Amino acid sequence: MEFVGEIENLSDIQRKAVEKALEKLDFVGGPVTIEAVGKKGDNYVASVLRIKADTKDGKPIRMIAKVAPTNEALRLMIQAEKLFSNETIMYEQVLPKFDELQNAADVPSHDRILRAKCYGTVSDELNELILLKDKEFEMRDRMVSLTNNEVKMALKQLAQIHALSFALQDKEPELYKKYANLLFDKWIQPHDEEKKSKVFMFVSFAALEQMLLGFLKSDKDKKRVQGAVSNIGEMAENLRKSNENGKYSVILQGDCWANNIMFKFQEGKSVECMMIDYQLSRLSSPVVDILYLIFNCTDLDTRKDHYNDWLDYYYKVLDDSLCHYNLKSSLVYPRDKMVEDLKRYGRFCLGLSLVLATFIFRESDEGFDLTDIKDQAALEADPGGPGMMKHGTLERMARHIQDLVDSCIAYGYL
């Protein structure tokens, strides 16, 4: 096959995987065009490419390729092999199993999760690749709050994913346990093995926290937030240990912020959404997905107007979805347990959102280019890259961080 365009971003092994996928789609021949997707600052742990070709019937073939980095320091810092393993497990095993459960229960189309079809994966080290169908969905501006309706669309998808996880746990507990054990929790600190990764990931969080605390207005708020970022790994481990039986845990989407939620628009209005990127999927409380979405994708005013309604809406969709599998939310995940989890996980979710804040509010020309990282010293010298940010960016970030803290105080999470 003749590849043209951004071909240097694909290894020989990855090209062969693309060729295999195209052959299954009745590729007719001719050039296969490779284009980079997104601007600087849109993609942090993978290169994203669009692949264009045609079938022998003249129909367009459009695929999205997620390509793992080859930079050694970056791979070690983000634990690229395990993140791509997570997403491969989700697309090749978990999500197809969820489809089986939906089919067996005759779930109507409007109550099913929306997801991109996977055309193939590569798991070889340094050549990790995930090929997905390119659907007619668009990414929203990550700096603009989702609307009330858009948040509800995303919550519906999360509730349906969580309901399927509860259904799998009920109907095939051994398979559920297998998936849970396969998925890697990036936020739990590594122990004896991978000590270098621990240095890359967790020493830098202490420096990052000091930078973030500087955005808060009062010493009282700084004291409240102290440790929310620097102790993220310890909090994740303690929360996992406190929930050893996993009765109320689900397989999370794990990273539902603006760049990983795609919307379909009609006449300028969003009518559907679809989750992408399952690299941070893991086992935890459903509220982690809920808070991650709300904290990272909405502003203070929108939260003030709709926060409690969102929680009610999520729980109703969860209850309705569980009914398809002959389960009841009052038994599977009681509402009072959800309220308890919101308070138990609130501080941890704030910490995750503070970390993400260092990426969300950068303009594309001031994006923190992780591919430039050469070693640990480079990371520690600029853990969040504040020196690269414009005055307006710093103001947006400061307002967002203070608003997050104010929300968590109002909800009783701090």
Side-chain angles (χ1 to χ4, degrees):
M1 292 184 186
E2 179 190 1
F3 287 85
V4 297
E6 305 281 341
I7 58 177
E8 68 277 2
N9 291 317
L10 289 176
S11 68
D12 289 342
I13 291 174
Q14 291 164 342
R15 286 191 207 181
K16 288 179 182 177
V18 173
E19 290 176 357
K20 184 177 179 181
L22 289 172
E23 287 169 358
K24 290 181 180 179
L25 294 170
D26 292 329
F27 172 64
V28 68
V32 178
T33 304
I34 312 294
E35 300 175 348
V37 176
K39 306 182 295 291
K40 185 178 179 181
D42 284 341
N43 308 303
Y44 293 104
V45 298
S47 297
V48 180
L49 306 173
R50 177 171 284 111
I51 299 169
K52 296 181 177 180
D54 295 313
T55 68
K56 55 189 173 187
D57 296 327
K59 295 180 180 178
I61 298 173
R62 299 292 182 266
M63 290 191 291
I64 291 293
K66 295 186 66 173
V67 185
T70 56
N71 178 300
E72 183 179 354
L74 174 57
R75 285 180 64 87
L76 183 60
M77 185 188 79
I78 67 172
Q79 297 165 297
E81 184 177 357
K82 291 185 177 180
L83 293 186
F84 272 82
S85 174
N86 268 10
E87 193 155 26
T88 297
I89 290 164
M90 290 298 294
Y91 274 114
E92 290 195 339
Q93 300 183 53
V94 179
L95 294 174
K97 185 62 186 179
F98 284 175
D99 287 343
E100 286 182 26
L101 291 173
Q102 292 177 120
N103 291 337
D106 286 327
V107 178
S109 59
H110 62 270
D111 281 342
R112 293 185 177 224
I113 57 172
L114 288 173
R115 68 179 185 89
K117 180 179 177 60
C118 183
Y119 289 135
T121 65
V122 175
S123 298
D124 295 4
E125 188 174 357
L126 296 177
N127 292 287
E128 296 94 344
L129 174 75
I130 296 173
L131 293 172
L132 304 172
K133 183 176 181 179
D134 187 6
K135 301 187 74 171
E136 294 180 356
F137 283 64
E138 300 175 33
M139 186 185 299
R140 283 273 270 101
D141 185 342
R142 66 180 184 271
M143 297 191 197
V144 178
S145 174
L146 296 185
T147 67
N148 176 37
N149 286 335
E150 288 169 339
V151 172
K152 285 185 174 180
M153 289 178 202
L155 286 172
K156 181 178 180 179
Q157 291 294 305
L158 292 176
Q160 290 168 345
I161 291 170
H162 298 166
L164 281 160
S165 187
F166 281 126
L168 180 60
Q169 187 176 13
D170 176 69
K171 300 179 187 309
E172 299 184 52
E174 290 304 314
L175 182 59
Y176 175 82
K177 184 177 179 181
K178 173 190 171 184
Y179 292 156
N181 289 334
L182 285 173
L183 292 170
F184 162 69
D185 190 337
K186 179 176 177 60
W187 300 108
I188 293 179
Q189 291 186 6
H191 297 290
D192 291 337
E193 85 285 1
E194 306 177 36
K195 284 184 179 178
K196 289 182 180 179
S197 179
K198 180 176 180 179
V199 170
F200 269 96
M201 285 304 301
F202 294 98
V203 169
S204 64
F205 278 163
L208 180 59
E209 180 174 270
Q210 290 306 306
M211 186 268 286
L212 292 168
L213 290 177
F215 290 112
L216 295 175
K217 297 176 182 177
S218 72
D219 290 339
K220 188 174 182 180
D221 284 348
K222 293 176 183 179
K223 187 174 181 180
R224 281 177 169 139
V225 175
Q226 190 78 43
V229 172
S230 58
N231 293 333
I232 247 178
E234 183 180 343
M235 284 192 290
E237 178 71 25
N238 289 337
L239 288 166
R240 183 189 67 81
K241 287 179 179 178
S242 69
N243 193 25
E244 284 289 356
N245 62 18
K247 180 180 179 182
Y248 299 119
S249 293
V250 295
I251 297 172
L252 300 178
Q253 190 279 338
D255 197 16
C256 44
W257 69 293
N259 280 21
N260 294 333
I261 308 171
M262 306 292 285
F263 289 91
K264 184 176 183 179
F265 290 88
Q266 290 180 358
E267 297 180 354
K269 294 183 179 180
S270 48
V271 294
E272 287 183 316
C273 84
M274 175 181 67
M275 300 292 175
I276 59 171
D277 195 331
Y278 290 87
Q279 292 189 334
L280 294 182
S281 290
R282 60 200 186 276
L283 206 67
S284 191
S285 167
V287 304
V288 175
D289 268 346
I290 298 170
L291 292 179
Y292 197 94
L293 166 70
I294 293 173
F295 286 174
N296 294 314
C297 299
T298 67
D299 59 25
L300 180 63
D301 289 339
T302 312
R303 289 194 293 274
K304 282 182 175 179
D305 289 341
H306 302 290
Y307 183 73
N308 290 322
D309 290 339
W310 290 335
L311 298 181
D312 291 341
Y313 178 77
Y314 167 86
Y315 199 77
K316 182 182 184 305
V317 176
L318 179 69
D319 188 44
D320 291 344
S321 299
L322 286 169
C323 287
H324 292 303
Y325 314 108
N326 299 314
L327 296 172
K328 293 183 178 181
S329 58
S330 59
L331 299 176
V332 172
Y333 193 48
R335 184 64 186 263
D336 60 351
K337 176 59 180 173
M338 177 177 155
V339 172
E340 176 189 325
D341 280 354
L342 286 165
K343 292 190 175 181
R344 279 207 312 138
Y345 285 83
R347 183 180 178 82
F348 171 67
C349 292
L350 171 64
L352 297 181
S353 299
L354 291 175
V355 172
L356 194 57
T358 63
F359 298 102
I360 292 176
F361 295 99
R362 298 168 186 266
E363 300 286 354
S364 59
D365 63 350
E366 55 186 355
F368 189 39
D369 190 353
L370 296 179
T371 60
D372 286 343
I373 291 174
K374 299 297 188 293
D375 53 29
Q376 178 187 344
L379 177 64
E380 291 180 338
D382 193 9
M388 300 167 61
M389 298 183 208
K390 301 172 185 175
H391 179 69
T393 300
L394 293 171
E395 285 187 334
R396 285 193 301 272
M397 188 181 298
R399 182 166 58 252
H400 174 73
I401 289 170
Q402 185 65 59
D403 287 351
L404 276 180
V405 172
D406 290 344
S407 289
C408 285
I409 293 170
Y411 305 146
Y413 304 157
L414 282 180

